[in-house]
Amino acid sequence: MKKSFSIFPRQFGFFPYIFLIYIAFPVIYVTKESGLKQLLGYGMVLIFLVTYRQLYFSMGKRKFTYWLAVQLAIVFIFSMFYNLNYMFLGFFPANFIGWYHNKTVFRRGLIGLVCVQFIPFIYHMIEQKSFFTPGELLYFIPFLIIMLISPFGIRSMNRRMELEKELDQANKQIQELVKREERVRIARDLHDTLGHTLSLLTLKSQLVQRLTAVDPERARLEAKEMEVTSRAALKQVRELVTDMRAATIAEELLQAQQILRAAGITYQYDGDIVFSKISPFIQNIVGMCIREAATNVVKHSQAAYCSISIKLSVEKMSAVVRDDGMGVERNKRFGNGLKGMEERLALIDGSMSLSNHNGAVLEITVPIIKKAGETAG
């Protein structure tokens, strides 16, 4: 299938096109030249445009450095032999230098940019045999400083984008590993719980077939035992399905730890509860709430620290999720997740509150209903 032609890679959107506006300034300056110098100037502007396009398509490749070197050379020639104002074209290569991942190559590119900018600057000062006036310095120096700082900003921005991408990939890998582990667990449980039962039913069915004509009474008893065994197997299947659908609090705490640490958030858990004493239904609902809370911390809080504490008393169980992020006010727009938590907790007469104390504090409270004859502890 033939690929369609595009001026710039689509993933960069309109950003590359916006920068093209600044190409108008060197074109205007070239029109003021004449003869061969003007012709060469138009040629270099055209080559500069080609390098600008190719740099977007060659990111991460060896050709990237070659195209960048050509672009720096054109800026140098323009600034040296045409007009010092051409040095502002340096914002183009400054942007691309910030895309280098390797620190050594990044520093080399930055040194190249410094040379391309300051050599023409000094050359024109020597040629004029006088230092630049305060007005001229005020015109050039601020832009030079911004130009030399911008590669660091671009590099930092790209690094953050890469970390976010790596975090998404890590989360996907964790999810896949969890699914794979769940499949293995289901297969193991099916083998352990049903394998023996089905083998027994097969043997008994063969025995019933042989006894039907010889000993009908015993065949009837064996068939009765098969019914009891099959009912037990059905119960095992139901228990297995229920276990598959219900997530425990311990599992969700482990999942919360994995996703928070993958996001670079320091995690701490406070609690020594034996969760087996809590009903599976309550564990499932509280566990899903903890999952939603941890997800919100990663996605929206911009926190560096998160703690989860769970306490159990005679009358209630409380779970508190704290972070040191943006706090409640800015998190209010993420209401769908909180609403879903409230709806789940309502099924078990639970409640939740969201407050702000050096970050967001989410508290979940669930009443504990004891069975008749059950004592505390």
Side-chain angles (χ1 to χ4, degrees), residues 120-144:
F121 195 79
I122 296 170
Y123 170 78
H124 283 282
M125 186 174 63
I126 295 172
E127 187 182 42
Q128 292 177 7
K129 296 180 181 179
S130 65
F131 198 72
F132 288 101
T133 64
E136 290 174 327
L137 288 176
L138 192 62
Y139 174 70
F140 285 109
I141 297 300
F143 289 102
L144 278 173

mmCIF file with all atom_site columns, all heavy atoms in Angstrom, residues 120-144:
data_model
loop_
_atom_site.group_PDB
_atom_site.id
_atom_site.type_symbol
_atom_site.label_atom_id
_atom_site.label_alt_id
_atom_site.label_comp_id
_atom_site.label_asym_id
_atom_site.label_entity_id
_atom_site.label_seq_id
_atom_site.pdbx_PDB_ins_code
_atom_site.Cartn_x
_atom_site.Cartn_y
_atom_site.Cartn_z
_atom_site.occupancy
_atom_site.B_iso_or_equiv
_atom_site.pdbx_formal_charge
_atom_site.auth_seq_id
_atom_site.auth_comp_id
_atom_site.auth_asym_id
_atom_site.auth_atom_id
_atom_site.pdbx_PDB_model_num
ATOM 1   N N   . PRO A 1 120 ? 29.609 34.894 15.164 1.00 0.00 ? 120 PRO A N   1
ATOM 2   C CA  . PRO A 1 120 ? 29.154 36.038 14.357 1.00 0.00 ? 120 PRO A CA  1
ATOM 3   C C   . PRO A 1 120 ? 28.974 37.310 15.194 1.00 0.00 ? 120 PRO A C   1
ATOM 4   O O   . PRO A 1 120 ? 29.255 38.417 14.726 1.00 0.00 ? 120 PRO A O   1
ATOM 5   C CB  . PRO A 1 120 ? 27.808 35.566 13.781 1.00 0.00 ? 120 PRO A CB  1
ATOM 6   C CG  . PRO A 1 120 ? 27.880 34.099 13.800 1.00 0.00 ? 120 PRO A CG  1
ATOM 7   C CD  . PRO A 1 120 ? 28.666 33.759 15.021 1.00 0.00 ? 120 PRO A CD  1
ATOM 8   N N   . PHE A 1 121 ? 28.522 37.135 16.425 1.00 0.00 ? 121 PHE A N   1
ATOM 9   C CA  . PHE A 1 121 ? 28.324 38.275 17.319 1.00 0.00 ? 121 PHE A CA  1
ATOM 10  C C   . PHE A 1 121 ? 29.649 39.004 17.555 1.00 0.00 ? 121 PHE A C   1
ATOM 11  O O   . PHE A 1 121 ? 29.748 40.236 17.426 1.00 0.00 ? 121 PHE A O   1
ATOM 12  C CB  . PHE A 1 121 ? 27.742 37.781 18.643 1.00 0.00 ? 121 PHE A CB  1
ATOM 13  C CG  . PHE A 1 121 ? 27.176 38.857 19.508 1.00 0.00 ? 121 PHE A CG  1
ATOM 14  C CD1 . PHE A 1 121 ? 25.921 39.391 19.261 1.00 0.00 ? 121 PHE A CD1 1
ATOM 15  C CD2 . PHE A 1 121 ? 27.896 39.350 20.586 1.00 0.00 ? 121 PHE A CD2 1
ATOM 16  C CE1 . PHE A 1 121 ? 25.386 40.382 20.052 1.00 0.00 ? 121 PHE A CE1 1
ATOM 17  C CE2 . PHE A 1 121 ? 27.378 40.344 21.392 1.00 0.00 ? 121 PHE A CE2 1
ATOM 18  C CZ  . PHE A 1 121 ? 26.113 40.861 21.121 1.00 0.00 ? 121 PHE A CZ  1
ATOM 19  N N   . ILE A 1 122 ? 30.694 38.249 17.857 1.00 0.00 ? 122 ILE A N   1
ATOM 20  C CA  . ILE A 1 122 ? 32.031 38.839 18.085 1.00 0.00 ? 122 ILE A CA  1
ATOM 21  C C   . ILE A 1 122 ? 32.611 39.370 16.782 1.00 0.00 ? 122 ILE A C   1
ATOM 22  O O   . ILE A 1 122 ? 33.252 40.423 16.744 1.00 0.00 ? 122 ILE A O   1
ATOM 23  C CB  . ILE A 1 122 ? 32.959 37.776 18.719 1.00 0.00 ? 122 ILE A CB  1
ATOM 24  C CG1 . ILE A 1 122 ? 32.424 37.370 20.108 1.00 0.00 ? 122 ILE A CG1 1
ATOM 25  C CG2 . ILE A 1 122 ? 34.385 38.313 18.837 1.00 0.00 ? 122 ILE A CG2 1
ATOM 26  C CD1 . ILE A 1 122 ? 33.110 36.173 20.711 1.00 0.00 ? 122 ILE A CD1 1
ATOM 27  N N   . TYR A 1 123 ? 32.397 38.637 15.680 1.00 0.00 ? 123 TYR A N   1
ATOM 28  C CA  . TYR A 1 123 ? 32.924 39.041 14.377 1.00 0.00 ? 123 TYR A CA  1
ATOM 29  C C   . TYR A 1 123 ? 32.386 40.412 13.963 1.00 0.00 ? 123 TYR A C   1
ATOM 30  O O   . TYR A 1 123 ? 33.141 41.292 13.525 1.00 0.00 ? 123 TYR A O   1
ATOM 31  C CB  . TYR A 1 123 ? 32.552 37.995 13.329 1.00 0.00 ? 123 TYR A CB  1
ATOM 32  C CG  . TYR A 1 123 ? 32.828 38.421 11.904 1.00 0.00 ? 123 TYR A CG  1
ATOM 33  C CD1 . TYR A 1 123 ? 34.119 38.394 11.385 1.00 0.00 ? 123 TYR A CD1 1
ATOM 34  C CD2 . TYR A 1 123 ? 31.776 38.848 11.078 1.00 0.00 ? 123 TYR A CD2 1
ATOM 35  C CE1 . TYR A 1 123 ? 34.364 38.778 10.070 1.00 0.00 ? 123 TYR A CE1 1
ATOM 36  C CE2 . TYR A 1 123 ? 32.011 39.226 9.777  1.00 0.00 ? 123 TYR A CE2 1
ATOM 37  C CZ  . TYR A 1 123 ? 33.307 39.195 9.280  1.00 0.00 ? 123 TYR A CZ  1
ATOM 38  O OH  . TYR A 1 123 ? 33.544 39.597 7.986  1.00 0.00 ? 123 TYR A OH  1
ATOM 39  N N   . HIS A 1 124 ? 31.082 40.611 14.119 1.00 0.00 ? 124 HIS A N   1
ATOM 40  C CA  . HIS A 1 124 ? 30.488 41.894 13.732 1.00 0.00 ? 124 HIS A CA  1
ATOM 41  C C   . HIS A 1 124 ? 30.939 43.022 14.657 1.00 0.00 ? 124 HIS A C   1
ATOM 42  O O   . HIS A 1 124 ? 31.070 44.167 14.221 1.00 0.00 ? 124 HIS A O   1
ATOM 43  C CB  . HIS A 1 124 ? 28.956 41.788 13.744 1.00 0.00 ? 124 HIS A CB  1
ATOM 44  C CG  . HIS A 1 124 ? 28.393 41.080 12.555 1.00 0.00 ? 124 HIS A CG  1
ATOM 45  N ND1 . HIS A 1 124 ? 28.259 41.668 11.316 1.00 0.00 ? 124 HIS A ND1 1
ATOM 46  C CD2 . HIS A 1 124 ? 27.955 39.795 12.407 1.00 0.00 ? 124 HIS A CD2 1
ATOM 47  C CE1 . HIS A 1 124 ? 27.733 40.799 10.464 1.00 0.00 ? 124 HIS A CE1 1
ATOM 48  N NE2 . HIS A 1 124 ? 27.543 39.646 11.114 1.00 0.00 ? 124 HIS A NE2 1
ATOM 49  N N   . MET A 1 125 ? 31.207 42.688 15.911 1.00 0.00 ? 125 MET A N   1
ATOM 50  C CA  . MET A 1 125 ? 31.701 43.695 16.838 1.00 0.00 ? 125 MET A CA  1
ATOM 51  C C   . MET A 1 125 ? 33.111 44.128 16.443 1.00 0.00 ? 125 MET A C   1
ATOM 52  O O   . MET A 1 125 ? 33.455 45.318 16.469 1.00 0.00 ? 125 MET A O   1
ATOM 53  C CB  . MET A 1 125 ? 31.703 43.136 18.263 1.00 0.00 ? 125 MET A CB  1
ATOM 54  C CG  . MET A 1 125 ? 32.064 44.164 19.334 1.00 0.00 ? 125 MET A CG  1
ATOM 55  S SD  . MET A 1 125 ? 31.890 43.486 21.004 1.00 0.00 ? 125 MET A SD  1
ATOM 56  C CE  . MET A 1 125 ? 33.129 42.175 20.961 1.00 0.00 ? 125 MET A CE  1
ATOM 57  N N   . ILE A 1 126 ? 33.954 43.153 16.042 1.00 0.00 ? 126 ILE A N   1
ATOM 58  C CA  . ILE A 1 126 ? 35.308 43.467 15.588 1.00 0.00 ? 126 ILE A CA  1
ATOM 59  C C   . ILE A 1 126 ? 35.273 44.238 14.274 1.00 0.00 ? 126 ILE A C   1
ATOM 60  O O   . ILE A 1 126 ? 36.037 45.188 14.058 1.00 0.00 ? 126 ILE A O   1
ATOM 61  C CB  . ILE A 1 126 ? 36.137 42.172 15.440 1.00 0.00 ? 126 ILE A CB  1
ATOM 62  C CG1 . ILE A 1 126 ? 36.323 41.504 16.801 1.00 0.00 ? 126 ILE A CG1 1
ATOM 63  C CG2 . ILE A 1 126 ? 37.481 42.459 14.787 1.00 0.00 ? 126 ILE A CG2 1
ATOM 64  C CD1 . ILE A 1 126 ? 36.960 40.137 16.734 1.00 0.00 ? 126 ILE A CD1 1
ATOM 65  N N   . GLU A 1 127 ? 34.360 43.825 13.387 1.00 0.00 ? 127 GLU A N   1
ATOM 66  C CA  . GLU A 1 127 ? 34.247 44.485 12.095 1.00 0.00 ? 127 GLU A CA  1
ATOM 67  C C   . GLU A 1 127 ? 33.838 45.947 12.256 1.00 0.00 ? 127 GLU A C   1
ATOM 68  O O   . GLU A 1 127 ? 34.333 46.831 11.533 1.00 0.00 ? 127 GLU A O   1
ATOM 69  C CB  . GLU A 1 127 ? 33.212 43.736 11.230 1.00 0.00 ? 127 GLU A CB  1
ATOM 70  C CG  . GLU A 1 127 ? 33.149 44.237 9.796  1.00 0.00 ? 127 GLU A CG  1
ATOM 71  C CD  . GLU A 1 127 ? 32.097 43.508 8.985  1.00 0.00 ? 127 GLU A CD  1
ATOM 72  O OE1 . GLU A 1 127 ? 30.996 43.274 9.535  1.00 0.00 ? 127 GLU A OE1 1
ATOM 73  O OE2 . GLU A 1 127 ? 32.365 43.169 7.820  1.00 0.00 ? 127 GLU A OE2 1
ATOM 74  N N   . GLN A 1 128 ? 32.960 46.225 13.220 1.00 0.00 ? 128 GLN A N   1
ATOM 75  C CA  . GLN A 1 128 ? 32.541 47.603 13.459 1.00 0.00 ? 128 GLN A CA  1
ATOM 76  C C   . GLN A 1 128 ? 33.580 48.398 14.240 1.00 0.00 ? 128 GLN A C   1
ATOM 77  O O   . GLN A 1 128 ? 33.487 49.621 14.356 1.00 0.00 ? 128 GLN A O   1
ATOM 78  C CB  . GLN A 1 128 ? 31.216 47.605 14.247 1.00 0.00 ? 128 GLN A CB  1
ATOM 79  C CG  . GLN A 1 128 ? 30.024 47.071 13.469 1.00 0.00 ? 128 GLN A CG  1
ATOM 80  C CD  . GLN A 1 128 ? 28.757 47.033 14.320 1.00 0.00 ? 128 GLN A CD  1
ATOM 81  O OE1 . GLN A 1 128 ? 28.743 47.522 15.443 1.00 0.00 ? 128 GLN A OE1 1
ATOM 82  N NE2 . GLN A 1 128 ? 27.704 46.457 13.765 1.00 0.00 ? 128 GLN A NE2 1
ATOM 83  N N   . LYS A 1 129 ? 34.588 47.683 14.789 1.00 0.00 ? 129 LYS A N   1
ATOM 84  C CA  . LYS A 1 129 ? 35.661 48.292 15.587 1.00 0.00 ? 129 LYS A CA  1
ATOM 85  C C   . LYS A 1 129 ? 35.100 49.087 16.766 1.00 0.00 ? 129 LYS A C   1
ATOM 86  O O   . LYS A 1 129 ? 35.663 50.089 17.198 1.00 0.00 ? 129 LYS A O   1
ATOM 87  C CB  . LYS A 1 129 ? 36.525 49.210 14.709 1.00 0.00 ? 129 LYS A CB  1
ATOM 88  C CG  . LYS A 1 129 ? 37.254 48.468 13.611 1.00 0.00 ? 129 LYS A CG  1
ATOM 89  C CD  . LYS A 1 129 ? 38.096 49.404 12.782 1.00 0.00 ? 129 LYS A CD  1
ATOM 90  C CE  . LYS A 1 129 ? 38.818 48.645 11.661 1.00 0.00 ? 129 LYS A CE  1
ATOM 91  N NZ  . LYS A 1 129 ? 39.639 49.531 10.824 1.00 0.00 ? 129 LYS A NZ  1
ATOM 92  N N   . SER A 1 130 ? 33.969 48.644 17.271 1.00 0.00 ? 130 SER A N   1
ATOM 93  C CA  . SER A 1 130 ? 33.377 49.272 18.448 1.00 0.00 ? 130 SER A CA  1
ATOM 94  C C   . SER A 1 130 ? 32.413 48.296 19.086 1.00 0.00 ? 130 SER A C   1
ATOM 95  O O   . SER A 1 130 ? 31.874 47.408 18.423 1.00 0.00 ? 130 SER A O   1
ATOM 96  C CB  . SER A 1 130 ? 32.636 50.560 18.069 1.00 0.00 ? 130 SER A CB  1
ATOM 97  O OG  . SER A 1 130 ? 31.533 50.269 17.242 1.00 0.00 ? 130 SER A OG  1
ATOM 98  N N   . PHE A 1 131 ? 32.222 48.459 20.393 1.00 0.00 ? 131 PHE A N   1
ATOM 99  C CA  . PHE A 1 131 ? 31.311 47.585 21.113 1.00 0.00 ? 131 PHE A CA  1
ATOM 100 C C   . PHE A 1 131 ? 29.867 47.958 20.782 1.00 0.00 ? 131 PHE A C   1
ATOM 101 O O   . PHE A 1 131 ? 29.592 49.091 20.401 1.00 0.00 ? 131 PHE A O   1
ATOM 102 C CB  . PHE A 1 131 ? 31.557 47.708 22.632 1.00 0.00 ? 131 PHE A CB  1
ATOM 103 C CG  . PHE A 1 131 ? 30.990 46.576 23.418 1.00 0.00 ? 131 PHE A CG  1
ATOM 104 C CD1 . PHE A 1 131 ? 31.564 45.312 23.368 1.00 0.00 ? 131 PHE A CD1 1
ATOM 105 C CD2 . PHE A 1 131 ? 29.874 46.759 24.219 1.00 0.00 ? 131 PHE A CD2 1
ATOM 106 C CE1 . PHE A 1 131 ? 31.039 44.263 24.103 1.00 0.00 ? 131 PHE A CE1 1
ATOM 107 C CE2 . PHE A 1 131 ? 29.338 45.720 24.950 1.00 0.00 ? 131 PHE A CE2 1
ATOM 108 C CZ  . PHE A 1 131 ? 29.929 44.461 24.887 1.00 0.00 ? 131 PHE A CZ  1
ATOM 109 N N   . PHE A 1 132 ? 28.951 46.993 20.938 1.00 0.00 ? 132 PHE A N   1
ATOM 110 C CA  . PHE A 1 132 ? 27.550 47.280 20.656 1.00 0.00 ? 132 PHE A CA  1
ATOM 111 C C   . PHE A 1 132 ? 27.009 48.305 21.652 1.00 0.00 ? 132 PHE A C   1
ATOM 112 O O   . PHE A 1 132 ? 27.406 48.341 22.820 1.00 0.00 ? 132 PHE A O   1
ATOM 113 C CB  . PHE A 1 132 ? 26.722 45.989 20.743 1.00 0.00 ? 132 PHE A CB  1
ATOM 114 C CG  . PHE A 1 132 ? 26.946 45.044 19.602 1.00 0.00 ? 132 PHE A CG  1
ATOM 115 C CD1 . PHE A 1 132 ? 27.769 43.931 19.751 1.00 0.00 ? 132 PHE A CD1 1
ATOM 116 C CD2 . PHE A 1 132 ? 26.347 45.267 18.370 1.00 0.00 ? 132 PHE A CD2 1
ATOM 117 C CE1 . PHE A 1 132 ? 27.971 43.060 18.702 1.00 0.00 ? 132 PHE A CE1 1
ATOM 118 C CE2 . PHE A 1 132 ? 26.540 44.391 17.313 1.00 0.00 ? 132 PHE A CE2 1
ATOM 119 C CZ  . PHE A 1 132 ? 27.367 43.295 17.474 1.00 0.00 ? 132 PHE A CZ  1
ATOM 120 N N   . THR A 1 133 ? 26.090 49.118 21.208 1.00 0.00 ? 133 THR A N   1
ATOM 121 C CA  . THR A 1 133 ? 25.458 50.110 22.071 1.00 0.00 ? 133 THR A CA  1
ATOM 122 C C   . THR A 1 133 ? 24.537 49.407 23.064 1.00 0.00 ? 133 THR A C   1
ATOM 123 O O   . THR A 1 133 ? 24.114 48.262 22.820 1.00 0.00 ? 133 THR A O   1
ATOM 124 C CB  . THR A 1 133 ? 24.631 51.109 21.245 1.00 0.00 ? 133 THR A CB  1
ATOM 125 O OG1 . THR A 1 133 ? 23.563 50.396 20.609 1.00 0.00 ? 133 THR A OG1 1
ATOM 126 C CG2 . THR A 1 133 ? 25.494 51.800 20.200 1.00 0.00 ? 133 THR A CG2 1
ATOM 127 N N   . PRO A 1 134 ? 24.214 50.054 24.196 1.00 0.00 ? 134 PRO A N   1
ATOM 128 C CA  . PRO A 1 134 ? 23.296 49.428 25.165 1.00 0.00 ? 134 PRO A CA  1
ATOM 129 C C   . PRO A 1 134 ? 21.963 49.018 24.539 1.00 0.00 ? 134 PRO A C   1
ATOM 130 O O   . PRO A 1 134 ? 21.406 47.979 24.886 1.00 0.00 ? 134 PRO A O   1
ATOM 131 C CB  . PRO A 1 134 ? 23.100 50.535 26.209 1.00 0.00 ? 134 PRO A CB  1
ATOM 132 C CG  . PRO A 1 134 ? 24.357 51.328 26.141 1.00 0.00 ? 134 PRO A CG  1
ATOM 133 C CD  . PRO A 1 134 ? 24.762 51.325 24.707 1.00 0.00 ? 134 PRO A CD  1
ATOM 134 N N   . GLY A 1 135 ? 21.476 49.824 23.597 1.00 0.00 ? 135 GLY A N   1
ATOM 135 C CA  . GLY A 1 135 ? 20.225 49.473 22.933 1.00 0.00 ? 135 GLY A CA  1
ATOM 136 C C   . GLY A 1 135 ? 20.357 48.213 22.107 1.00 0.00 ? 135 GLY A C   1
ATOM 137 O O   . GLY A 1 135 ? 19.456 47.368 22.090 1.00 0.00 ? 135 GLY A O   1
ATOM 138 N N   . GLU A 1 136 ? 21.499 48.063 21.404 1.00 0.00 ? 136 GLU A N   1
ATOM 139 C CA  . GLU A 1 136 ? 21.728 46.862 20.601 1.00 0.00 ? 136 GLU A CA  1
ATOM 140 C C   . GLU A 1 136 ? 21.895 45.629 21.490 1.00 0.00 ? 136 GLU A C   1
ATOM 141 O O   . GLU A 1 136 ? 21.407 44.532 21.161 1.00 0.00 ? 136 GLU A O   1
ATOM 142 C CB  . GLU A 1 136 ? 22.961 47.056 19.715 1.00 0.00 ? 136 GLU A CB  1
ATOM 143 C CG  . GLU A 1 136 ? 22.756 48.061 18.586 1.00 0.00 ? 136 GLU A CG  1
ATOM 144 C CD  . GLU A 1 136 ? 24.040 48.343 17.828 1.00 0.00 ? 136 GLU A CD  1
ATOM 145 O OE1 . GLU A 1 136 ? 25.122 48.310 18.448 1.00 0.00 ? 136 GLU A OE1 1
ATOM 146 O OE2 . GLU A 1 136 ? 23.953 48.596 16.613 1.00 0.00 ? 136 GLU A OE2 1
ATOM 147 N N   . LEU A 1 137 ? 22.596 45.809 22.607 1.00 0.00 ? 137 LEU A N   1
ATOM 148 C CA  . LEU A 1 137 ? 22.774 44.686 23.538 1.00 0.00 ? 137 LEU A CA  1
ATOM 149 C C   . LEU A 1 137 ? 21.427 44.262 24.128 1.00 0.00 ? 137 LEU A C   1
ATOM 150 O O   . LEU A 1 137 ? 21.157 43.068 24.278 1.00 0.00 ? 137 LEU A O   1
ATOM 151 C CB  . LEU A 1 137 ? 23.727 45.085 24.664 1.00 0.00 ? 137 LEU A CB  1
ATOM 152 C CG  . LEU A 1 137 ? 25.205 45.224 24.279 1.00 0.00 ? 137 LEU A CG  1
ATOM 153 C CD1 . LEU A 1 137 ? 26.016 45.728 25.466 1.00 0.00 ? 137 LEU A CD1 1
ATOM 154 C CD2 . LEU A 1 137 ? 25.771 43.892 23.791 1.00 0.00 ? 137 LEU A CD2 1
ATOM 155 N N   . LEU A 1 138 ? 20.595 45.237 24.452 1.00 0.00 ? 138 LEU A N   1
ATOM 156 C CA  . LEU A 1 138 ? 19.280 44.948 24.992 1.00 0.00 ? 138 LEU A CA  1
ATOM 157 C C   . LEU A 1 138 ? 18.397 44.248 23.956 1.00 0.00 ? 138 LEU A C   1
ATOM 158 O O   . LEU A 1 138 ? 17.480 43.512 24.297 1.00 0.00 ? 138 LEU A O   1
ATOM 159 C CB  . LEU A 1 138 ? 18.608 46.248 25.454 1.00 0.00 ? 138 LEU A CB  1
ATOM 160 C CG  . LEU A 1 138 ? 17.336 46.106 26.296 1.00 0.00 ? 138 LEU A CG  1
ATOM 161 C CD1 . LEU A 1 138 ? 17.649 45.376 27.606 1.00 0.00 ? 138 LEU A CD1 1
ATOM 162 C CD2 . LEU A 1 138 ? 16.731 47.466 26.586 1.00 0.00 ? 138 LEU A CD2 1
ATOM 163 N N   . TYR A 1 139 ? 18.724 44.459 22.685 1.00 0.00 ? 139 TYR A N   1
ATOM 164 C CA  . TYR A 1 139 ? 17.981 43.837 21.586 1.00 0.00 ? 139 TYR A CA  1
ATOM 165 C C   . TYR A 1 139 ? 18.409 42.386 21.389 1.00 0.00 ? 139 TYR A C   1
ATOM 166 O O   . TYR A 1 139 ? 17.576 41.503 21.157 1.00 0.00 ? 139 TYR A O   1
ATOM 167 C CB  . TYR A 1 139 ? 18.215 44.644 20.310 1.00 0.00 ? 139 TYR A CB  1
ATOM 168 C CG  . TYR A 1 139 ? 17.623 44.023 19.063 1.00 0.00 ? 139 TYR A CG  1
ATOM 169 C CD1 . TYR A 1 139 ? 16.246 43.970 18.870 1.00 0.00 ? 139 TYR A CD1 1
ATOM 170 C CD2 . TYR A 1 139 ? 18.456 43.495 18.080 1.00 0.00 ? 139 TYR A CD2 1
ATOM 171 C CE1 . TYR A 1 139 ? 15.715 43.405 17.717 1.00 0.00 ? 139 TYR A CE1 1
ATOM 172 C CE2 . TYR A 1 139 ? 17.938 42.930 16.930 1.00 0.00 ? 139 TYR A CE2 1
ATOM 173 C CZ  . TYR A 1 139 ? 16.559 42.887 16.749 1.00 0.00 ? 139 TYR A CZ  1
ATOM 174 O OH  . TYR A 1 139 ? 16.043 42.333 15.609 1.00 0.00 ? 139 TYR A OH  1
ATOM 175 N N   . PHE A 1 140 ? 19.732 42.101 21.496 1.00 0.00 ? 140 PHE A N   1
ATOM 176 C CA  . PHE A 1 140 ? 20.248 40.762 21.194 1.00 0.00 ? 140 PHE A CA  1
ATOM 177 C C   . PHE A 1 140 ? 20.330 39.845 22.410 1.00 0.00 ? 140 PHE A C   1
ATOM 178 O O   . PHE A 1 140 ? 19.939 38.672 22.338 1.00 0.00 ? 140 PHE A O   1
ATOM 179 C CB  . PHE A 1 140 ? 21.643 40.860 20.557 1.00 0.00 ? 140 PHE A CB  1
ATOM 180 C CG  . PHE A 1 140 ? 21.634 41.321 19.131 1.00 0.00 ? 140 PHE A CG  1
ATOM 181 C CD1 . PHE A 1 140 ? 22.102 42.582 18.801 1.00 0.00 ? 140 PHE A CD1 1
ATOM 182 C CD2 . PHE A 1 140 ? 21.160 40.508 18.115 1.00 0.00 ? 140 PHE A CD2 1
ATOM 183 C CE1 . PHE A 1 140 ? 22.105 43.019 17.480 1.00 0.00 ? 140 PHE A CE1 1
ATOM 184 C CE2 . PHE A 1 140 ? 21.151 40.930 16.798 1.00 0.00 ? 140 PHE A CE2 1
ATOM 185 C CZ  . PHE A 1 140 ? 21.622 42.200 16.479 1.00 0.00 ? 140 PHE A CZ  1
ATOM 186 N N   . ILE A 1 141 ? 20.867 40.340 23.522 1.00 0.00 ? 141 ILE A N   1
ATOM 187 C CA  . ILE A 1 141 ? 21.209 39.480 24.654 1.00 0.00 ? 141 ILE A CA  1
ATOM 188 C C   . ILE A 1 141 ? 20.017 38.701 25.215 1.00 0.00 ? 141 ILE A C   1
ATOM 189 O O   . ILE A 1 141 ? 20.125 37.478 25.416 1.00 0.00 ? 141 ILE A O   1
ATOM 190 C CB  . ILE A 1 141 ? 21.887 40.306 25.780 1.00 0.00 ? 141 ILE A CB  1
ATOM 191 C CG1 . ILE A 1 141 ? 23.217 40.889 25.277 1.00 0.00 ? 141 ILE A CG1 1
ATOM 192 C CG2 . ILE A 1 141 ? 22.125 39.439 27.016 1.00 0.00 ? 141 ILE A CG2 1
ATOM 193 C CD1 . ILE A 1 141 ? 24.223 39.844 24.827 1.00 0.00 ? 141 ILE A CD1 1
ATOM 194 N N   . PRO A 1 142 ? 18.854 39.339 25.487 1.00 0.00 ? 142 PRO A N   1
ATOM 195 C CA  . PRO A 1 142 ? 17.738 38.546 26.043 1.00 0.00 ? 142 PRO A CA  1
ATOM 196 C C   . PRO A 1 142 ? 17.327 37.374 25.157 1.00 0.00 ? 142 PRO A C   1
ATOM 197 O O   . PRO A 1 142 ? 17.061 36.273 25.655 1.00 0.00 ? 142 PRO A O   1
ATOM 198 C CB  . PRO A 1 142 ? 16.593 39.574 26.154 1.00 0.00 ? 142 PRO A CB  1
ATOM 199 C CG  . PRO A 1 142 ? 17.270 40.894 26.252 1.00 0.00 ? 142 PRO A CG  1
ATOM 200 C CD  . PRO A 1 142 ? 18.483 40.769 25.389 1.00 0.00 ? 142 PRO A CD  1
ATOM 201 N N   . PHE A 1 143 ? 17.312 37.614 23.817 1.00 0.00 ? 143 PHE A N   1
ATOM 202 C CA  . PHE A 1 143 ? 16.943 36.528 22.907 1.00 0.00 ? 143 PHE A CA  1
ATOM 203 C C   . PHE A 1 143 ? 18.001 35.430 22.880 1.00 0.00 ? 143 PHE A C   1
ATOM 204 O O   . PHE A 1 143 ? 17.681 34.246 22.752 1.00 0.00 ? 143 PHE A O   1
ATOM 205 C CB  . PHE A 1 143 ? 16.711 37.083 21.502 1.00 0.00 ? 143 PHE A CB  1
ATOM 206 C CG  . PHE A 1 143 ? 15.462 37.911 21.363 1.00 0.00 ? 143 PHE A CG  1
ATOM 207 C CD1 . PHE A 1 143 ? 15.526 39.292 21.328 1.00 0.00 ? 143 PHE A CD1 1
ATOM 208 C CD2 . PHE A 1 143 ? 14.223 37.309 21.322 1.00 0.00 ? 143 PHE A CD2 1
ATOM 209 C CE1 . PHE A 1 143 ? 14.373 40.055 21.223 1.00 0.00 ? 143 PHE A CE1 1
ATOM 210 C CE2 . PHE A 1 143 ? 13.059 38.053 21.205 1.00 0.00 ? 143 PHE A CE2 1
ATOM 211 C CZ  . PHE A 1 143 ? 13.134 39.442 21.165 1.00 0.00 ? 143 PHE A CZ  1
ATOM 212 N N   . LEU A 1 144 ? 19.275 35.843 23.004 1.00 0.00 ? 144 LEU A N   1
ATOM 213 C CA  . LEU A 1 144 ? 20.352 34.846 23.049 1.00 0.00 ? 144 LEU A CA  1
ATOM 214 C C   . LEU A 1 144 ? 20.218 33.963 24.280 1.00 0.00 ? 144 LEU A C   1
ATOM 215 O O   . LEU A 1 144 ? 20.396 32.734 24.204 1.00 0.00 ? 144 LEU A O   1
ATOM 216 C CB  . LEU A 1 144 ? 21.713 35.551 23.055 1.00 0.00 ? 144 LEU A CB  1
ATOM 217 C CG  . LEU A 1 144 ? 22.256 36.003 21.697 1.00 0.00 ? 144 LEU A CG  1
ATOM 218 C CD1 . LEU A 1 144 ? 23.527 36.823 21.890 1.00 0.00 ? 144 LEU A CD1 1
ATOM 219 C CD2 . LEU A 1 144 ? 22.536 34.804 20.804 1.00 0.00 ? 144 LEU A CD2 1
#
